[in-house]
Amino acid sequence: MSTPLVELNDISISFGGIQAVDHVTVDLYPGEVVGLLGHNGAGKSTLIKCLSGAYQMDSGEIKINGKTATINNPRDARRYNIETIYQTLALADNLDATANLFLGREIVSPFGMVSDATMEAETRKIMSRLNPNFKKFSAPVSALSGGQRQSVAIARAVYFNAKILIMDEPTAALGPQETRMVAELIQELKRQGLGIFLIDHDVHQVKNLCDRAAVMKNGQLVGVVKVDEVSEDDLLAMIILGKKPEHLAA
Amino acid sequence: MADATDAKAPTQRRNALQSLEIDTRLLGMIGAFIVVALVFNVLTEGRFLTPRNIFNLTIQTVSVAIMATGMVFVIVTRHIDLSVGSLLATCSAVMAMLQTSWLVGEAMPLGSAALPWLAIVGGLVVGTLIGAFNGWLVGYLTIPAFIVTLGGLLVWRNVAWYLTTGQTIGPLDETFQAFGGISGTLGAQWSWIIGAVATVIALVGLFSARRTKITHEFSVKPVWAEAVVAIVVVVGIMGFVWVLNSYDLPERVLAREFQAAGQEMPEGYREAYGLPISVLLLIAVAIVMTVVAQRTRFGRYIFATGGNPDAAELSGINTRLLTVKIFALMGFLCALSAVVASARLTFHSNDIGTLDELRVIAAAVIGGTALSGGIGTIYGAILGALIMQSLQSGMAMVGVDAPYQNIVVGSVLILAVYVDILYRRKTGA
């Protein structure tokens, strides 16, 4: 097989004596969606925050395209073309969609002034692709609906040519139609060769959208399985009991 | 501040206002200011709205207004700075000592041309460094800004005392005093020229903003609305210059000047004060700070951090360094205010800037800066300072006792914030 896009090798991180992530190893290939499953507090968000630069791991190694990567903060992660859609969306509510989309990466004129008009035009372009109904370009995002806010967060991740995309429960706050839209987007990004980590509670959705699923319990990795080889019940059993299904256990 | 548009006003008028795309908050503040001015004008039998009083009002506002623009950034990022009055005193002490003692020697006797400028540079450097130090304590050591600057309030007030061993230092250099207001004005001719230049720049700005929108195919307001805005801008700028140019130097001052030059004063000769340099300084600060707030990454990050600190951090913004920069800027502006405040007094005194921290915070808050962070404007803070100063000097002119003045100003502060809360609730902003 080719080189994995991302290798998370033997990652550990603890907070005040609690081992939040305990020697976990997961990898991700280009054009692949890997689902991360587990109860609340299983450590999936914490694991992924080591990759997005929000947390720093205690031990372990991250490799991007086979090379060891140093990620100490979100700025480092962006340099490796890692984009994250956080569960909380991480939007500045007082700013408009354009300001949020370009936050930290504003387009500036030669005099160092931010080019709001250019950025708004770019925002209109990408939003017309992601969410054609989106019209509130100059309202603060606090005035937007949950789905509209979500599309701003997604647009921000997609616009800057992400190679590795992390989605933390991207459909948690969405209605059925918007959920379908996100699912279609994931399929499209996959075709473009992105690698996607998808953190989700919904076993059904993971089975539909993902190629493989990594299940975590109490900070440890229960196992990584191909979703075609397991049933939804198998996945549930892994989440609840913390054991791999018998027909796969070697 | 209060929303000037009446909710029950006819629909047509609301539509007109909407197409003008004018900030209703700005309109409300200007409305409140006009009401204050008119009420005092009636109470003082027309003495409040004279060129002389308007001139005095503007030069009294400058020092607090300059600091208030920096306080907007501090409060927008959910911090506070209680040390600005003390910082002003330390900077003022440094500048007074530099120009009257530390720098004075054989190479540079009193009255040297370079002396006031070196003193100003020294004061600005000191102010910026102290501000940066405050910011480092807040940003990197994560000590709450309230505590850092409460400590700073005591520390810097008394550092200023030690620098001058408690003495009043003066008189300050004459060039330095030109930044104080009355002793540094441009005269009628230059005031008109500057007013005209400002008008042209403003109109070009309006026009190019419209053109940018059209090239990107965004919606623009109707031409009549643009014209109304342009007329208001022109009348505003030129009207302000006209008022200041209507305040003449007293005849005896002019007579003395002619006498000193050994000449006879012509019959009916008059000379206007015109724009004070300190007011020009405030206008320059206001423009630069507005550009920083709206058109630079620094400003964008300030508002993003205020709106959601976690999101800012996750977007790759170095919020700790940002905090240092914001407090350093605040320190710089304190030093700038120290120039104006001590120049206006013509000397440095120990109590200079006492209670200014409260006036500055009040000006920013009356101007619509939200203590919860993320919201605030530079023009609002300046208008807030102007409204506070108008209340204060208006009541003094009417003859209200000093204790009552403070009672009124304090009540107005609380009322203004309450009105602002109601306004936000109604507009959902």
Short mmCIF file of all heavy atoms in Angstrom, two decimals, chain A residues 94, chain B residues 25 72-73 75-76 293-294 303 364 367-370 373-381 424:
data_model
loop_
_atom_site.label_atom_id
_atom_site.label_comp_id
_atom_site.label_asym_id
_atom_site.label_seq_id
_atom_site.Cartn_x
_atom_site.Cartn_y
_atom_site.Cartn_z
N ASN A 94 -19.21 37.93 16.70
CA ASN A 94 -19.42 39.35 16.43
C ASN A 94 -18.96 39.75 15.02
O ASN A 94 -19.21 40.86 14.61
CB ASN A 94 -18.70 40.21 17.47
CG ASN A 94 -17.24 39.84 17.59
OD1 ASN A 94 -16.85 38.71 17.32
ND2 ASN A 94 -16.42 40.78 17.98
N ARG B 25 -26.68 53.83 15.93
CA ARG B 25 -26.04 54.09 17.21
C ARG B 25 -25.30 55.43 17.17
O ARG B 25 -25.40 56.23 18.08
CB ARG B 25 -25.07 52.95 17.52
CG ARG B 25 -24.20 53.20 18.73
CD ARG B 25 -23.12 52.16 18.78
NE ARG B 25 -23.69 50.83 18.85
CZ ARG B 25 -24.12 50.30 19.98
NH1 ARG B 25 -24.02 50.96 21.09
NH2 ARG B 25 -24.63 49.09 19.98
N VAL B 72 -10.81 51.37 24.05
CA VAL B 72 -11.76 50.57 23.25
C VAL B 72 -11.13 49.21 22.93
O VAL B 72 -11.75 48.16 23.14
CB VAL B 72 -12.15 51.30 21.94
CG1 VAL B 72 -12.92 50.39 21.01
CG2 VAL B 72 -12.96 52.54 22.25
N PHE B 73 -9.88 49.22 22.46
CA PHE B 73 -9.22 47.96 22.12
C PHE B 73 -9.05 47.08 23.35
O PHE B 73 -9.24 45.85 23.30
CB PHE B 73 -7.84 48.22 21.50
CG PHE B 73 -7.90 48.76 20.09
CD1 PHE B 73 -6.74 49.10 19.42
CD2 PHE B 73 -9.11 48.89 19.44
CE1 PHE B 73 -6.79 49.58 18.12
CE2 PHE B 73 -9.18 49.38 18.14
CZ PHE B 73 -8.01 49.72 17.48
N ILE B 75 -10.89 47.04 26.13
CA ILE B 75 -12.17 46.50 26.60
C ILE B 75 -12.75 45.51 25.59
O ILE B 75 -13.34 44.51 25.97
CB ILE B 75 -13.17 47.65 26.90
CG1 ILE B 75 -12.64 48.50 28.06
CG2 ILE B 75 -14.54 47.08 27.27
CD1 ILE B 75 -13.53 49.67 28.43
N VAL B 76 -12.53 45.76 24.31
CA VAL B 76 -13.04 44.85 23.29
C VAL B 76 -12.44 43.45 23.47
O VAL B 76 -13.10 42.44 23.27
CB VAL B 76 -12.77 45.39 21.86
CG1 VAL B 76 -12.85 44.28 20.83
CG2 VAL B 76 -13.77 46.47 21.51
N ALA B 293 -8.53 49.61 13.44
CA ALA B 293 -9.62 48.75 13.88
C ALA B 293 -10.30 48.05 12.70
O ALA B 293 -10.65 46.88 12.80
CB ALA B 293 -10.65 49.57 14.66
N GLN B 294 -10.48 48.80 11.60
CA GLN B 294 -11.31 48.25 10.53
C GLN B 294 -10.53 47.65 9.37
O GLN B 294 -11.03 46.79 8.66
CB GLN B 294 -12.23 49.36 9.99
CG GLN B 294 -13.21 49.83 11.04
CD GLN B 294 -14.15 50.89 10.50
OE1 GLN B 294 -13.98 51.37 9.39
NE2 GLN B 294 -15.13 51.25 11.29
N PHE B 303 -10.89 42.28 17.45
CA PHE B 303 -12.33 42.04 17.55
C PHE B 303 -12.66 40.56 17.56
O PHE B 303 -13.57 40.12 18.26
CB PHE B 303 -13.06 42.78 16.42
CG PHE B 303 -13.20 44.24 16.69
CD1 PHE B 303 -12.17 45.13 16.37
CD2 PHE B 303 -14.31 44.75 17.33
CE1 PHE B 303 -12.27 46.48 16.66
CE2 PHE B 303 -14.43 46.10 17.63
CZ PHE B 303 -13.40 46.97 17.30
N ALA B 364 -15.43 55.33 26.95
CA ALA B 364 -15.51 54.18 26.05
C ALA B 364 -16.85 53.47 26.19
O ALA B 364 -17.47 53.08 25.20
CB ALA B 364 -14.36 53.21 26.33
N GLY B 367 -19.70 55.36 24.88
CA GLY B 367 -19.57 55.29 23.43
C GLY B 367 -19.95 53.95 22.84
O GLY B 367 -19.71 53.70 21.67
N GLY B 368 -20.49 53.04 23.66
CA GLY B 368 -21.01 51.79 23.12
C GLY B 368 -20.04 50.63 23.15
O GLY B 368 -20.30 49.60 22.53
N THR B 369 -18.92 50.73 23.86
CA THR B 369 -18.02 49.59 23.98
C THR B 369 -18.58 48.64 25.04
O THR B 369 -18.87 49.06 26.15
CB THR B 369 -16.61 50.07 24.41
OG1 THR B 369 -16.22 51.14 23.57
CG2 THR B 369 -15.61 48.94 24.31
N ALA B 370 -18.74 47.37 24.66
CA ALA B 370 -19.34 46.40 25.57
C ALA B 370 -18.27 45.75 26.43
O ALA B 370 -17.27 45.26 25.90
CB ALA B 370 -20.11 45.35 24.79
N GLY B 373 -17.03 42.32 25.69
CA GLY B 373 -16.03 42.12 24.63
C GLY B 373 -16.60 42.04 23.23
O GLY B 373 -17.79 41.79 23.03
N GLY B 374 -15.73 42.30 22.26
CA GLY B 374 -16.09 42.10 20.86
C GLY B 374 -16.77 43.28 20.18
O GLY B 374 -16.87 43.30 18.97
N ILE B 375 -17.26 44.24 20.96
CA ILE B 375 -18.02 45.34 20.37
C ILE B 375 -17.48 46.68 20.86
O ILE B 375 -17.25 46.86 22.06
CB ILE B 375 -19.51 45.23 20.71
CG1 ILE B 375 -20.09 43.96 20.09
CG2 ILE B 375 -20.29 46.45 20.22
CD1 ILE B 375 -21.48 43.62 20.57
N GLY B 376 -17.30 47.62 19.94
CA GLY B 376 -16.85 48.96 20.31
C GLY B 376 -16.38 49.70 19.08
O GLY B 376 -15.96 49.09 18.10
N THR B 377 -16.48 51.04 19.13
CA THR B 377 -16.01 51.84 18.01
C THR B 377 -15.16 52.99 18.54
O THR B 377 -15.36 53.46 19.66
CB THR B 377 -17.17 52.43 17.19
OG1 THR B 377 -17.99 53.18 18.08
CG2 THR B 377 -17.98 51.37 16.51
N ILE B 378 -14.24 53.45 17.69
CA ILE B 378 -13.37 54.56 18.05
C ILE B 378 -14.17 55.85 18.13
O ILE B 378 -14.09 56.60 19.10
CB ILE B 378 -12.22 54.69 17.02
CG1 ILE B 378 -11.40 53.39 16.95
CG2 ILE B 378 -11.34 55.88 17.35
CD1 ILE B 378 -10.75 53.00 18.23
N TYR B 379 -15.00 56.10 17.08
CA TYR B 379 -15.76 57.36 17.10
C TYR B 379 -16.70 57.40 18.30
O TYR B 379 -16.96 58.46 18.87
CB TYR B 379 -16.52 57.57 15.78
CG TYR B 379 -17.61 56.55 15.50
CD1 TYR B 379 -18.82 56.58 16.18
CD2 TYR B 379 -17.44 55.57 14.53
CE1 TYR B 379 -19.81 55.65 15.93
CE2 TYR B 379 -18.43 54.64 14.27
CZ TYR B 379 -19.61 54.68 14.98
OH TYR B 379 -20.60 53.76 14.73
N GLY B 380 -17.23 56.25 18.69
CA GLY B 380 -18.12 56.19 19.85
C GLY B 380 -17.41 56.66 21.11
O GLY B 380 -17.95 57.45 21.89
N ALA B 381 -16.19 56.16 21.30
CA ALA B 381 -15.44 56.53 22.50
C ALA B 381 -15.16 58.02 22.53
O ALA B 381 -15.26 58.66 23.59
CB ALA B 381 -14.14 55.73 22.56
N ARG B 424 -29.50 47.22 22.07
CA ARG B 424 -28.99 45.96 21.52
C ARG B 424 -30.08 44.89 21.51
O ARG B 424 -30.19 44.11 20.58
CB ARG B 424 -27.84 45.45 22.38
CG ARG B 424 -26.53 46.09 22.03
CD ARG B 424 -25.44 45.41 22.84
NE ARG B 424 -24.49 46.38 23.37
CZ ARG B 424 -23.54 46.95 22.65
NH1 ARG B 424 -23.41 46.64 21.39
NH2 ARG B 424 -22.73 47.81 23.20
#
